[in-house]
Amino acid sequence: MTRLKPRPVNHLGLVIGLGLLAAGCGAGFSSPAPTGSAATPPEPSAAATAEIEPLSAAAFWAAMVPGDPEAISYPTLDAIVSASDAVVTGTASSIAPGPTVEDPYHNIIYLATVTFRLDDVVAGSVRSVEPGTIAVSLLLGVGDAAHDFDWRYEQFASSLPSDRVVMFLSNNQEWAKQYDFPLDSPEADPMHYRVVSGQGYFRELDGRVVLPAQPIGEWPKAFDGLPFVELVAAVRASVAANS
């Protein structure tokens, strides 16, 4: 299958966006702090730690995009299918904390792993420890040993959605190769995946397509409200046309 490149973006915009750290290039999900210093992450408020409010399904899914949802965009459905290592349909079945990754400045990237029960592998192929499932990375935040984002994990764990989705995914090891990151990092686990962009997931509600929280470009809008099976069929047709 011919793989199309997305428009160029810097690393920070790709993985955590401009909202977490200052823009720049770095290792893993983080951006290096000035030499000899460490980034100081924001602390959750007392109210946030005392009473954790569950997320809506829409907010949960939006958070599955690892960074600025506009950092990478694809001009067509064919382009996003070609850029994905796997396109799958399934439902979230469990969430677990970890892994964590520490950069040279002692910033710690806190991740969670959401496991999905697969209905179908529509395009590409899936590597998995447990057959019939796929593990997808979820960025919780960037902090240090004193800012572990446990409260954020608990918020996601209490909000696991039940709706079915189609997801366009990059394999973490293939992603690391593409962006020249160390292959021995937990971020490069070949058994884990990440959502490719803000265009990379579509929910099913009452049998019909619900667009991502921030639909980017024109082609996703063509599927808004259509039967979910028609979106899946369009992905299959794209694979057939470009293989």
Side-chain angles (χ1 to χ4, degrees):
M1 184 185 300
T2 302
R3 184 176 293 263
L4 301 179
K5 294 284 188 180
R7 62 181 173 86
V9 294
N10 65 40
H11 168 54
L12 187 66
L14 174 67
V15 289
I16 45 179
L18 299 177
L20 283 176
L21 296 172
C25 297
F29 278 104
S30 63
S31 169
T35 303
S37 67
T40 302
E43 293 192 55
S45 66
T49 55
E51 183 176 350
I52 298 172
E53 293 187 7
L55 297 167
S56 67
F60 187 103
W61 288 113
M64 291 297 300
V65 179
D68 180 357
E70 298 186 57
I72 296 178
S73 64
Y74 300 91
T76 63
L77 176 65
D78 285 348
I80 195 171
V81 171
S82 295
S84 301
D85 294 308
V87 183
V88 304
T89 60
T91 307
S93 59
S94 64
I95 185 172
T100 58
V101 184
E102 186 170 352
D103 74 10
Y105 304 98
H106 306 295
N107 302 308
I108 301 175
I109 303 134
Y110 290 93
L111 301 166
T113 300
V114 182
T115 298
F116 290 84
R117 184 176 61 254
L118 293 176
D119 294 329
D120 199 2
V121 179
V122 187
S125 60
V126 168
R127 305 180 201 177
S128 180
V129 173
E130 182 182 350
T133 69
I134 190 168
V136 182
S137 299
L138 168 63
L139 176 67
L140 299 175
V142 181
D144 56 27
H147 304 82
D148 57 16
F149 289 89
D150 278 358
W151 66 275
R152 184 69 166 150
Y153 171 78
E154 292 300 330
Q155 186 177 44
F156 282 105
S158 67
S159 309
L160 206 64
S162 59
D163 42 354
R164 189 164 66 129
V165 293
V166 57
M167 293 186 294
F168 299 80
L169 303 168
S170 291
N171 178 272
N172 281 1
Q173 186 174 83
E174 298 305 315
W175 179 88
K177 290 177 182 177
Q178 183 178 2
Y179 293 98
D180 297 321
F181 295 154
L183 297 184
D184 59 353
S185 167
E187 293 174 87
D189 187 336
M191 298 297 175
H192 287 70
Y193 290 75
R194 67 187 64 204
V195 178
V196 296
S197 80
Q199 299 167 319
Y201 70 94
F202 293 79
R203 300 164 53 206
E204 179 187 28
L205 183 63
D206 297 328
R208 297 192 173 271
V209 173
V210 177
L211 296 186
Q214 293 180 260
I216 302 155
E218 292 301 314
W219 70 263
K221 298 175 186 177
F223 294 99
D224 189 19
L226 289 184
F228 190 78
V229 293
E230 290 190 17
L231 172 57
V232 175
V235 174
R236 292 192 196 283
S238 175
V239 175
N242 292 285
S243 57

